[in-house]
Coordinates of all heavy atoms in Angstrom, one line a residue:
M1 N 64.2 21.0 17.6 CA 63.5 20.7 16.3 C 63.0 22.1 15.8 O 62.2 22.7 16.5 CB 62.4 19.7 16.6 CG 61.5 19.5 15.4 SD 60.3 18.2 15.8 CE 59.2 18.3 14.5
P2 N 63.4 22.5 14.6 CA 62.9 23.8 14.1 C 61.4 23.7 13.7 O 60.9 22.6 13.3 CB 63.8 24.0 12.8 CG 64.3 22.6 12.5 CD 64.3 21.8 13.7
G3 N 60.7 24.8 13.8 CA 59.3 24.8 13.5 C 59.1 24.8 12.0 O 60.0 25.0 11.2
I4 N 57.8 24.5 11.7 CA 57.5 24.5 10.3 C 57.5 25.9 9.7 O 57.0 26.9 10.4 CB 56.1 23.8 10.1 CG1 55.8 23.6 8.6 CG2 55.0 24.6 10.7 CD1 54.8 22.6 8.3
T5 N 58.0 26.1 8.6 CA 58.1 27.5 8.0 C 56.9 27.8 7.1 O 56.2 26.9 6.7 CB 59.4 27.6 7.2 OG1 59.3 26.7 6.0 CG2 60.6 27.2 8.0
R6 N 56.8 29.1 6.9 CA 55.8 29.6 6.0 C 55.9 29.0 4.6 O 54.9 28.7 3.9 CB 55.9 31.1 6.0 CG 54.9 31.9 5.3 CD 55.2 33.4 5.6 NE 54.1 34.2 5.2 CZ 53.9 34.6 4.0 NH1 54.7 34.3 3.0 NH2 52.8 35.3 3.7
E7 N 57.2 28.9 4.2 CA 57.4 28.3 2.8 C 57.0 26.9 2.7 O 56.5 26.4 1.7 CB 58.9 28.5 2.5 CG 59.4 29.9 2.2 CD 59.5 30.7 3.5 OE1 59.7 30.1 4.6 OE2 59.3 31.9 3.4
E8 N 57.2 26.1 3.8 CA 56.7 24.7 3.8 C 55.2 24.6 3.8 O 54.7 23.8 3.1 CB 57.3 24.0 5.1 CG 58.8 23.8 5.0 CD 59.3 23.3 6.4 OE1 58.8 23.7 7.4 OE2 60.2 22.4 6.3
V9 N 54.5 25.5 4.5 CA 53.1 25.6 4.4 C 52.6 25.9 3.0 O 51.7 25.3 2.4 CB 52.5 26.6 5.4 CG1 51.0 26.7 5.3 CG2 52.8 26.1 6.8
A10 N 53.3 26.9 2.4 CA 53.0 27.2 1.0 C 53.2 26.1 0.0 O 52.4 25.8 -0.9 CB 53.8 28.4 0.5
H11 N 54.2 25.3 0.3 CA 54.5 24.1 -0.6 C 53.4 23.1 -0.4 O 52.9 22.5 -1.3 CB 55.9 23.6 -0.2 CG 56.2 22.3 -1.0 ND1 56.5 22.3 -2.3 CD2 56.4 21.0 -0.6 CE1 56.7 21.1 -2.7 NE2 56.7 20.3 -1.7
L12 N 53.1 22.8 0.9 CA 52.0 21.9 1.2 C 50.7 22.3 0.5 O 49.9 21.5 0.0 CB 51.8 21.6 2.7 CG 52.9 20.9 3.4 CD1 52.7 21.0 4.9 CD2 53.0 19.5 2.9
A13 N 50.4 23.6 0.6 CA 49.2 24.1 0.0 C 49.2 23.9 -1.5 O 48.2 23.6 -2.1 CB 49.0 25.6 0.3
R14 N 50.3 24.2 -2.1 CA 50.4 23.9 -3.6 C 50.2 22.5 -3.9 O 49.5 22.1 -4.9 CB 51.8 24.4 -4.1 CG 51.9 25.8 -4.5 CD 53.1 26.1 -5.3 NE 54.4 25.8 -4.6 CZ 54.9 26.5 -3.6 NH1 54.4 27.7 -3.3 NH2 56.1 26.1 -3.1
L15 N 50.8 21.6 -3.1 CA 50.6 20.1 -3.4 C 49.1 19.7 -3.2 O 48.6 18.9 -3.9 CB 51.4 19.3 -2.4 CG 52.9 19.4 -2.6 CD1 53.7 18.6 -1.5 CD2 53.3 18.8 -4.0
A16 N 48.4 20.4 -2.3 CA 47.0 20.1 -2.0 C 46.1 20.9 -2.9 O 44.9 20.8 -2.8 CB 46.7 20.3 -0.5
R17 N 46.7 21.7 -3.8 CA 46.0 22.6 -4.7 C 45.0 23.5 -3.9 O 43.9 23.7 -4.3 CB 45.2 21.8 -5.7 CG 46.1 21.0 -6.6 CD 45.4 20.2 -7.6 NE 46.4 19.4 -8.3 CZ 46.3 19.0 -9.5 NH1 45.2 19.2 -10.2 NH2 47.2 18.2 -10.1
L18 N 45.6 24.1 -2.8 CA 44.9 25.1 -2.0 C 45.5 26.5 -2.3 O 46.7 26.6 -2.4 CB 44.9 24.7 -0.5 CG 44.3 23.4 -0.1 CD1 44.7 23.2 1.4 CD2 42.8 23.4 -0.3
E19 N 44.6 27.4 -2.4 CA 45.1 28.8 -2.6 C 45.0 29.5 -1.2 O 43.8 29.7 -0.7 CB 44.3 29.5 -3.6 CG 44.8 30.9 -4.0 CD 44.0 31.5 -5.1 OE1 43.4 30.8 -5.9 OE2 44.0 32.8 -5.1
L20 N 46.1 29.8 -0.6 CA 46.1 30.5 0.7 C 46.6 31.9 0.6 O 47.5 32.2 -0.1 CB 46.9 29.7 1.7 CG 46.5 28.2 2.0 CD1 47.5 27.6 2.9 CD2 45.1 28.2 2.6
K21 N 46.0 32.8 1.4 CA 46.5 34.2 1.5 C 47.7 34.2 2.4 O 47.9 33.3 3.2 CB 45.4 35.0 2.0 CG 44.1 35.0 1.2 CD 43.0 35.8 1.8 CE 41.8 35.7 1.0 NZ 40.6 36.2 1.6
D22 N 48.4 35.3 2.4 CA 49.6 35.5 3.2 C 49.3 35.3 4.7 O 50.1 34.6 5.4 CB 50.3 36.8 3.0 CG 50.9 36.9 1.6 OD1 51.2 35.8 1.0 OD2 51.1 38.0 1.1
E23 N 48.2 35.9 5.2 CA 47.9 35.8 6.6 C 47.5 34.3 7.0 O 47.8 33.9 8.1 CB 46.8 36.8 7.0 CG 45.5 36.6 6.3 CD 45.4 37.5 5.1 OE1 46.4 38.1 4.6 OE2 44.3 37.5 4.5
E24 N 46.9 33.6 6.0 CA 46.6 32.2 6.3 C 47.8 31.3 6.4 O 47.9 30.4 7.2 CB 45.7 31.7 5.2 CG 44.3 32.3 5.2 CD 43.4 31.8 4.0 OE1 43.9 31.8 2.9 OE2 42.2 31.5 4.2
L25 N 48.8 31.6 5.5 CA 50.1 30.9 5.6 C 50.7 31.0 7.0 O 51.2 30.0 7.6 CB 51.1 31.4 4.5 CG 50.7 31.0 3.1 CD1 51.7 31.7 2.1 CD2 50.7 29.5 2.9
D26 N 50.8 32.3 7.5 CA 51.3 32.5 8.8 C 50.5 31.8 9.9 O 51.1 31.1 10.8 CB 51.4 34.0 9.1 CG 52.4 34.7 8.2 OD1 53.4 34.1 7.8 OD2 52.1 35.9 7.9
H27 N 49.2 31.9 9.8 CA 48.3 31.2 10.8 C 48.5 29.7 10.8 O 48.6 29.1 11.8 CB 46.9 31.6 10.5 CG 45.8 31.1 11.4 ND1 45.7 31.5 12.7 CD2 44.9 30.1 11.2 CE1 44.7 30.8 13.3 NE2 44.2 30.0 12.4
F28 N 48.5 29.1 9.6 CA 48.6 27.7 9.5 C 50.0 27.2 9.9 O 50.1 26.1 10.4 CB 48.2 27.1 8.1 CG 46.8 27.3 7.8 CD1 46.3 27.7 6.6 CD2 45.8 26.9 8.7 CE1 45.0 27.8 6.3 CE2 44.5 27.0 8.4 CZ 44.0 27.4 7.2
A29 N 51.0 28.0 9.6 CA 52.4 27.6 10.1 C 52.4 27.5 11.6 O 53.0 26.5 12.1 CB 53.4 28.6 9.6
T30 N 51.8 28.5 12.3 CA 51.7 28.4 13.7 C 51.0 27.2 14.2 O 51.4 26.5 15.1 CB 51.1 29.7 14.3 OG1 51.8 30.8 13.8 CG2 51.1 29.7 15.8
Q31 N 49.8 27.0 13.6 CA 49.0 25.8 14.0 C 49.7 24.5 13.8 O 49.7 23.6 14.6 CB 47.6 25.8 13.3 CG 46.7 26.9 13.8 CD 45.3 26.8 13.1 OE1 45.2 26.2 12.0 NE2 44.3 27.3 13.8
L32 N 50.3 24.3 12.6 CA 51.0 23.1 12.3 C 52.2 22.9 13.2 O 52.4 21.7 13.6 CB 51.4 23.0 10.8 CG 50.2 22.9 9.8 CD1 50.7 23.1 8.4 CD2 49.6 21.5 10.0
D33 N 52.8 23.9 13.6 CA 54.0 23.8 14.5 C 53.5 23.4 15.9 O 54.1 22.5 16.5 CB 54.7 25.2 14.6 CG 56.0 25.0 15.2 OD1 56.7 24.0 14.9 OD2 56.4 25.9 16.0
D34 N 52.3 23.9 16.3 CA 51.7 23.4 17.6 C 51.4 22.0 17.5 O 51.6 21.2 18.5 CB 50.5 24.3 17.9 CG 50.9 25.7 18.3 OD1 52.1 26.0 18.6 OD2 50.0 26.6 18.3
I35 N 50.8 21.5 16.4 CA 50.4 20.1 16.3 C 51.6 19.2 16.3 O 51.6 18.2 17.0 CB 49.5 19.9 15.0 CG1 48.2 20.6 15.1 CG2 49.4 18.5 14.6 CD1 47.4 20.8 13.8
I36 N 52.6 19.6 15.5 CA 53.8 18.8 15.5 C 54.5 18.7 16.9 O 54.9 17.6 17.3 CB 54.8 19.3 14.5 CG1 54.3 19.1 13.1 CG2 56.2 18.7 14.6 CD1 55.0 19.8 12.0
G37 N 54.4 19.8 17.6 CA 55.0 19.8 19.0 C 54.2 18.9 19.9 O 54.7 18.2 20.8
A38 N 52.8 18.9 19.8 CA 52.0 18.0 20.6 C 52.3 16.5 20.3 O 52.3 15.7 21.2 CB 50.5 18.3 20.4
V39 N 52.4 16.2 19.0 CA 52.7 14.8 18.6 C 54.1 14.4 19.2 O 54.3 13.3 19.7 CB 52.7 14.6 17.1 CG1 53.2 13.3 16.7 CG2 51.2 14.8 16.6
A40 N 55.0 15.3 19.2 CA 56.4 15.0 19.7 C 56.3 14.7 21.2 O 57.0 13.8 21.7 CB 57.3 16.2 19.4
R41 N 55.5 15.5 21.9 CA 55.3 15.3 23.4 C 54.7 13.9 23.7 O 55.1 13.2 24.6 CB 54.5 16.4 24.0 CG 55.3 17.7 24.2 CD 54.5 18.6 25.2 NE 53.2 19.0 24.7 CZ 52.9 19.9 23.8 NH1 53.9 20.6 23.3 NH2 51.7 20.2 23.5
V42 N 53.7 13.5 22.9 CA 53.1 12.2 23.0 C 54.1 11.1 22.8 O 54.2 10.1 23.5 CB 51.9 12.1 22.1 CG1 51.4 10.6 22.1 CG2 50.8 13.0 22.6
S43 N 54.9 11.3 21.8 CA 56.0 10.3 21.4 C 57.0 10.2 22.6 O 57.5 9.1 22.8 CB 56.7 10.7 20.2 OG 55.8 10.7 19.1
E44 N 57.3 11.3 23.3 CA 58.2 11.2 24.4 C 57.6 10.4 25.6 O 58.3 9.7 26.3 CB 58.5 12.6 24.9 CG 59.3 13.4 24.0 CD 59.4 14.9 24.4 OE1 58.9 15.2 25.5 OE2 60.0 15.7 23.7
V45 N 56.3 10.5 25.8 CA 55.6 9.8 26.9 C 55.6 8.3 26.6 O 55.7 7.5 27.5 CB 54.2 10.3 27.1 CG1 53.4 9.5 28.1 CG2 54.3 11.8 27.5
A46 N 55.4 7.9 25.3 CA 55.2 6.5 25.0 C 56.5 5.7 25.5 O 57.6 6.1 25.2 CB 55.0 6.3 23.5
D47 N 56.3 4.6 26.2 CA 57.4 3.9 26.7 C 57.5 2.5 25.9 O 56.6 2.1 25.3 CB 57.2 3.6 28.2 CG 58.4 3.1 28.9 OD1 59.5 3.3 28.4 OD2 58.3 2.4 29.9
Q48 N 58.7 1.9 26.0 CA 58.9 0.6 25.3 C 58.0 -0.5 25.9 O 57.7 -1.4 25.3 CB 60.4 0.2 25.4 CG 61.3 1.2 24.8 CD 61.1 1.4 23.3 OE1 60.5 0.5 22.7 NE2 61.6 2.4 22.8
D49 N 57.6 -0.3 27.2 CA 56.8 -1.3 27.9 C 55.3 -1.2 27.5 O 54.5 -2.1 27.9 CB 56.9 -1.2 29.4 CG 58.4 -1.5 29.8 OD1 59.1 -2.1 29.1 OD2 58.7 -1.0 30.9
V50 N 54.9 -0.1 26.9 CA 53.5 0.1 26.5 C 53.3 -0.3 25.1 O 53.8 0.4 24.2 CB 53.1 1.6 26.8 CG1 51.7 1.8 26.4 CG2 53.4 2.0 28.2
P51 N 52.5 -1.3 24.8 CA 52.3 -1.7 23.4 C 51.3 -0.7 22.8 O 50.4 -0.2 23.4 CB 51.6 -3.1 23.5 CG 51.0 -3.1 24.9 CD 51.8 -2.2 25.7
P52 N 51.5 -0.5 21.4 CA 50.5 0.4 20.7 C 49.1 -0.2 20.7 O 49.0 -1.5 20.6 CB 51.1 0.5 19.3 CG 52.3 -0.4 19.3 CD 52.5 -1.0 20.6
T53 N 48.1 0.6 20.8 CA 46.7 0.1 20.8 C 45.9 1.0 19.9 O 46.2 2.1 19.7 CB 46.1 0.1 22.2 OG1 46.2 1.5 22.7 CG2 46.9 -0.8 23.2
S54 N 44.8 0.4 19.4 CA 43.9 1.2 18.6 C 42.7 1.7 19.5 O 42.1 2.7 19.1 CB 43.3 0.4 17.5 OG 42.6 -0.7 18.0
H55 N 42.5 1.1 20.7 CA 41.4 1.6 21.6 C 42.0 1.5 23.0 O 42.7 0.7 23.4 CB 40.2 0.7 21.5 CG 39.6 0.6 20.1 ND1 38.8 1.6 19.7 CD2 39.7 -0.2 19.1 CE1 38.4 1.4 18.4 NE2 38.9 0.3 18.1
P56 N 41.5 2.5 23.8 CA 42.0 2.5 25.2 C 41.4 1.3 26.0 O 42.1 0.9 27.0 CB 41.5 3.8 25.8 CG 40.3 4.2 24.9 CD 40.6 3.6 23.6
L57 N 40.3 0.7 25.6 CA 39.7 -0.4 26.3 C 39.6 -1.6 25.4 O 39.4 -1.4 24.2 CB 38.3 0.0 26.8 CG 38.2 1.2 27.8 CD1 36.8 1.5 28.1 CD2 38.9 0.9 29.1
P58 N 39.8 -2.8 25.9 CA 39.7 -4.0 25.0 C 38.3 -4.1 24.4 O 37.3 -3.8 25.1 CB 40.0 -5.1 25.9 CG 39.9 -4.6 27.3 CD 40.0 -3.1 27.3
L59 N 38.2 -4.5 23.2 CA 36.9 -4.7 22.5 C 36.7 -6.2 22.3 O 37.6 -7.0 22.0 CB 36.9 -4.0 21.1 CG 37.1 -2.5 21.1 CD1 37.1 -2.0 19.7 CD2 35.9 -1.9 21.9
T60 N 35.5 -6.6 22.5 CA 35.1 -8.0 22.3 C 33.8 -8.0 21.5 O 32.9 -7.2 21.8 CB 35.0 -8.8 23.6 OG1 34.0 -8.2 24.4 CG2 36.3 -9.0 24.3
N61 N 33.7 -8.9 20.6 CA 32.4 -9.1 19.9 C 31.4 -9.9 20.8 O 31.8 -10.9 21.4 CB 32.6 -9.8 18.6 CG 33.2 -8.9 17.5 OD1 33.1 -7.7 17.6 ND2 33.9 -9.5 16.6
V62 N 30.2 -9.5 20.8 CA 29.2 -10.2 21.6 C 28.4 -11.1 20.5 O 27.8 -10.5 19.7 CB 28.2 -9.3 22.3 CG1 27.2 -10.0 23.0 CG2 29.0 -8.4 23.3
M63 N 28.6 -12.4 20.6 CA 28.0 -13.3 19.7 C 27.0 -14.2 20.4 O 27.2 -14.6 21.5 CB 29.0 -14.1 19.0 CG 30.1 -13.3 18.4 SD 29.6 -12.5 16.9 CE 30.6 -13.4 15.7
R64 N 25.9 -14.5 19.7 CA 25.0 -15.5 20.2 C 25.1 -16.8 19.4 O 25.6 -16.7 18.2 CB 23.6 -15.0 20.2 CG 23.0 -14.7 18.9 CD 21.5 -14.4 19.0 NE 21.0 -14.0 17.7 CZ 20.7 -14.8 16.7 NH1 20.9 -16.1 16.8 NH2 20.2 -14.3 15.6
P65 N 24.8 -17.9 19.9 CA 24.9 -19.1 19.1 C 23.9 -19.1 17.9 O 22.8 -18.5 18.1 CB 24.5 -20.2 20.1 CG 24.3 -19.6 21.4 CD 24.4 -18.1 21.3
D66 N 24.3 -19.6 16.8 CA 23.5 -19.6 15.6 C 22.6 -20.8 15.7 O 23.0 -22.0 15.5 CB 24.4 -19.7 14.4 CG 23.6 -19.3 13.1 OD1 22.5 -18.8 13.2 OD2 24.1 -19.6 12.0
E67 N 21.3 -20.6 16.1 CA 20.4 -21.7 16.3 C 19.2 -21.5 15.3 O 18.7 -20.4 15.1 CB 19.8 -21.7 17.7 CG 20.9 -21.9 18.8 CD 20.4 -21.6 20.2 OE1 19.2 -21.2 20.3 OE2 21.1 -21.9 21.1
V68 N 18.7 -22.7 14.8 CA 17.5 -22.7 14.0 C 16.3 -22.5 14.9 O 16.1 -23.2 15.9 CB 17.4 -24.0 13.2 CG1 16.1 -24.0 12.4 CG2 18.6 -24.2 12.3
R69 N 15.5 -21.5 14.5 CA 14.3 -21.2 15.3 C 13.1 -21.0 14.4 O 13.3 -20.8 13.2 CB 14.4 -19.9 16.1 CG 15.6 -19.9 17.1 CD 15.7 -18.8 18.0 NE 15.6 -17.5 17.3 CZ 15.9 -16.3 17.8 NH1 16.2 -16.3 19.1 NH2 15.8 -15.2 17.1
P70 N 11.9 -21.2 14.9 CA 10.7 -21.0 14.0 C 10.7 -19.6 13.4 O 11.0 -18.6 14.1 CB 9.5 -21.3 14.9 CG 10.1 -21.9 16.1 CD 11.5 -21.5 16.2
S71 N 10.3 -19.5 12.1 CA 10.2 -18.2 11.5 C 9.0 -18.2 10.5 O 8.2 -19.2 10.5 CB 11.5 -17.9 10.7 OG 11.7 -18.9 9.7
L72 N 8.8 -17.1 9.8 CA 7.7 -17.0 8.9 C 7.9 -18.0 7.7 O 8.9 -18.2 7.2 CB 7.6 -15.6 8.3 CG 7.2 -14.5 9.3 CD1 7.3 -13.1 8.6 CD2 5.8 -14.7 9.9
S73 N 6.8 -18.5 7.3 CA 6.8 -19.3 6.0 C 6.8 -18.3 4.9 O 6.4 -17.1 5.0 CB 5.5 -20.2 6.0 OG 4.4 -19.4 5.9
P74 N 7.2 -18.8 3.7 CA 7.2 -17.9 2.6 C 5.8 -17.3 2.3 O 5.6 -16.1 2.0 CB 7.6 -18.7 1.4 CG 8.4 -19.8 2.0 CD 7.8 -20.0 3.4
E75 N 4.7 -18.1 2.5 CA 3.4 -17.6 2.3 C 3.0 -16.5 3.3 O 2.4 -15.5 2.9 CB 2.4 -18.8 2.4 CG 2.5 -19.8 1.3 CD 3.6 -20.8 1.5 OE1 4.1 -21.0 2.7 OE2 4.1 -21.4 0.5
A76 N 3.4 -16.7 4.5 CA 3.1 -15.7 5.6 C 3.9 -14.4 5.3 O 3.4 -13.3 5.5 CB 3.4 -16.2 6.9
A77 N 5.1 -14.5 4.9 CA 6.0 -13.3 4.6 C 5.4 -12.5 3.5 O 5.5 -11.3 3.4 CB 7.4 -13.8 4.4
L78 N 4.9 -13.2 2.4 CA 4.4 -12.6 1.2 C 2.9 -12.2 1.3 O 2.4 -11.7 0.4 CB 4.7 -13.5 0.0 CG 6.1 -13.7 -0.3 CD1 6.3 -14.8 -1.3 CD2 6.8 -12.4 -0.8
S79 N 2.3 -12.5 2.4 CA 0.8 -12.4 2.5 C 0.4 -10.9 2.3 O -0.7 -10.6 1.8 CB 0.3 -12.9 3.8 OG 0.8 -12.1 4.9
G80 N 1.2 -9.9 2.7 CA 0.8 -8.5 2.6 C 1.4 -7.9 1.4 O 1.3 -6.7 1.2
A81 N 2.2 -8.6 0.5 CA 2.8 -8.0 -0.6 C 1.8 -7.7 -1.7 O 0.9 -8.5 -2.0 CB 3.9 -9.0 -1.2
P82 N 1.9 -6.5 -2.3 CA 1.0 -6.2 -3.4 C 1.2 -7.1 -4.6 O 0.2 -7.3 -5.3 CB 1.3 -4.7 -3.7 CG 2.7 -4.4 -3.1 CD 2.9 -5.4 -2.1
A83 N 2.4 -7.6 -4.9 CA 2.6 -8.5 -6.0 C 3.7 -9.5 -5.6 O 4.6 -9.1 -4.9 CB 3.0 -7.7 -7.2
Q84 N 3.5 -10.7 -6.1 CA 4.6 -11.7 -5.8 C 4.7 -12.7 -7.0 O 3.8 -12.8 -7.8 CB 4.2 -12.5 -4.5 CG 2.8 -13.1 -4.5 CD 2.5 -13.9 -3.2 OE1 3.3 -14.8 -2.9 NE2 1.4 -13.5 -2.6
E85 N 5.9 -13.3 -7.1 CA 6.1 -14.2 -8.2 C 7.2 -15.2 -7.7 O 8.2 -14.8 -7.3 CB 6.6 -13.4 -9.4 CG 6.8 -14.3 -10.6 CD 7.2 -13.4 -11.8 OE1 6.4 -12.6 -12.3 OE2 8.4 -13.5 -12.2
Q86 N 6.9 -16.5 -7.9 CA 7.8 -17.6 -7.5 C 8.3 -17.4 -6.1 O 9.5 -17.5 -5.8 CB 9.0 -17.6 -8.5 CG 8.6 -17.9 -9.9 CD 9.8 -17.9 -10.8 OE1 10.9 -17.6 -10.4 NE2 9.6 -18.3 -12.1
Q87 N 7.4 -17.2 -5.1 CA 7.7 -17.0 -3.7 C 8.7 -15.9 -3.5 O 9.5 -15.9 -2.6 CB 8.3 -18.3 -3.1 CG 7.2 -19.4 -3.0 CD 7.7 -20.6 -2.1 OE1 8.9 -20.7 -1.9 NE2 6.8 -21.3 -1.6
R88 N 8.6 -14.8 -4.2 CA 9.4 -13.6 -4.1 C 8.5 -12.4 -4.2 O 7.5 -12.4 -4.9 CB 10.5 -13.6 -5.1 CG 11.5 -14.7 -5.0 CD 12.5 -14.6 -6.1 NE 13.4 -15.7 -6.1 CZ 14.0 -16.2 -7.1 NH1 13.9 -15.7 -8.3 NH2 14.8 -17.2 -7.0
F89 N 9.0 -11.3 -3.6 CA 8.3 -10.0 -3.8 C 8.6 -9.6 -5.3 O 9.7 -9.6 -5.8 CB 8.9 -8.9 -2.9 CG 8.6 -9.1 -1.5 CD1 9.6 -9.6 -0.6 CD2 7.4 -8.8 -0.9 CE1 9.3 -9.9 0.7 CE2 7.1 -9.0 0.4 CZ 8.1 -9.6 1.2
K90 N 7.5 -9.1 -5.9 CA 7.6 -8.6 -7.3 C 7.6 -7.1 -7.3 O 6.7 -6.5 -6.7 CB 6.5 -9.2 -8.2 CG 6.6 -8.8 -9.6 CD 5.6 -9.5 -10.5 CE 5.8 -9.1 -11.9 NZ 4.7 -9.7 -12.8
V91 N 8.7 -6.5 -7.9 CA 8.8 -5.1 -7.9 C 8.9 -4.6 -9.3 O 9.3 -5.3 -10.2 CB 10.0 -4.6 -7.0 CG1 9.8 -4.9 -5.6 CG2 11.3 -5.1 -7.6
P92 N 8.6 -3.3 -9.6 CA 8.7 -2.8 -10.9 C 10.1 -2.8 -11.4 O 11.1 -2.6 -10.6 CB 8.2 -1.4 -10.8 CG 7.5 -1.3 -9.5 CD 8.0 -2.3 -8.7
Q93 N 10.3 -3.1 -12.7 CA 11.7 -3.1 -13.3 C 12.2 -1.7 -13.3 O 11.5 -0.7 -13.7 CB 11.5 -3.6 -14.7 CG 12.8 -3.8 -15.4 CD 12.6 -4.4 -16.8 OE1 11.6 -5.0 -17.0 NE2 13.6 -4.2 -17.7
I94 N 13.5 -1.5 -12.9 CA 14.0 -0.1 -12.9 C 15.3 0.0 -13.8 O 15.6 1.2 -14.1 CB 14.4 0.3 -11.4 CG1 15.5 -0.7 -10.9 CG2 13.2 0.4 -10.6 CD1 16.1 -0.3 -9.6
L95 N 15.9 -1.0 -14.2 CA 17.1 -0.9 -15.0 C 16.9 -1.1 -16.5 O 17.9 -1.0 -17.3 CB 18.2 -1.8 -14.5 CG 18.7 -1.6 -13.1 CD1 19.7 -2.6 -12.6 CD2 19.3 -0.2 -13.0
G96 N 15.7 -1.5 -16.9 CA 15.5 -1.7 -18.3 C 16.1 -3.1 -18.8 O 16.3 -3.2 -20.0
E97 N 16.3 -4.0 -17.9 CA 16.9 -5.3 -18.2 C 15.9 -6.3 -18.0 O 15.0 -6.2 -17.2 CB 18.1 -5.6 -17.4 CG 19.3 -4.6 -17.6 CD 20.4 -4.8 -16.7 OE1 20.3 -5.7 -15.8 OE2 21.4 -4.1 -16.8
E98 N 16.0 -7.5 -18.6 CA 15.1 -8.6 -18.4 C 15.6 -9.5 -17.3 O 16.7 -9.6 -17.0 CB 15.0 -9.4 -19.7 CG 14.4 -8.7 -20.9 CD 12.8 -8.7 -20.8 OE1 12.3 -9.7 -20.3 OE2 12.3 -7.7 -21.3

C-alpha cells in the first residue's frame, strides 16, 4: 500500500481550509501514513469470529424499581422561596413575554 503523499495532504488541507507550510505538509504526511499503517495492522488482527464492539466490557444499566415514596408537599417545598404563585416558584421575567 503506497503511503500518503505530500500532495494528498495539501489537498486535504485545502478541503479543510487549512493553510499549511511546506515543512508541515511533510510532517503531516509522515504522521498520516503512520496512522493509516496502524489502522491497517488492526484490521489484519480482526478475525471473522470476533464481533465488532463499541466497548471492551459489556455495559448494563443499573435501574431501581419506580416506587411511590413520601416526598415534600408543595407548601414545604415552597416554604423557603422568596416569592411563589399558584404553588410554583415565582422568578423575575427575563424574556419580555407575558
Side-chain angles (χ1 to χ4, degrees):
M1 174 174 167
I4 189 164
T5 65
R6 185 175 194 275
E7 290 73 28
E8 290 171 322
V9 173
H11 178 69
L12 291 171
R14 274 192 303 278
L15 291 175
R17 298 180 184 208
L18 298 174
E19 186 176 335
L20 298 178
K21 298 175 186 168
D22 289 339
E23 60 271 6
E24 290 175 319
L25 290 173
D26 294 328
H27 181 71
F28 290 136
T30 303
Q31 285 186 338
L32 287 171
D33 197 38
D34 291 343
I35 292 169
I36 291 170
V39 170
R41 281 194 305 275
V42 169
S43 297
E44 291 170 5
V45 173
D47 193 24
Q48 301 297 342
D49 297 338
V50 180
T53 59
S54 61
H55 297 282
L57 301 174
L59 298 177
T60 56
N61 286 334
V62 179
M63 307 284 247
R64 64 171 171 78
D66 196 13
E67 300 171 352
V68 177
R69 299 188 309 192
S71 61
L72 292 175
S73 67
E75 293 79 23
L78 294 168
S79 65
Q84 55 180 305
E85 184 177 292
Q86 298 177 353
Q87 290 190 341
R88 297 181 182 148
F89 293 101
K90 185 174 180 180
V91 296
Q93 182 176 341
I94 59 168
L95 296 177
E97 298 175 358
E98 294 277 332

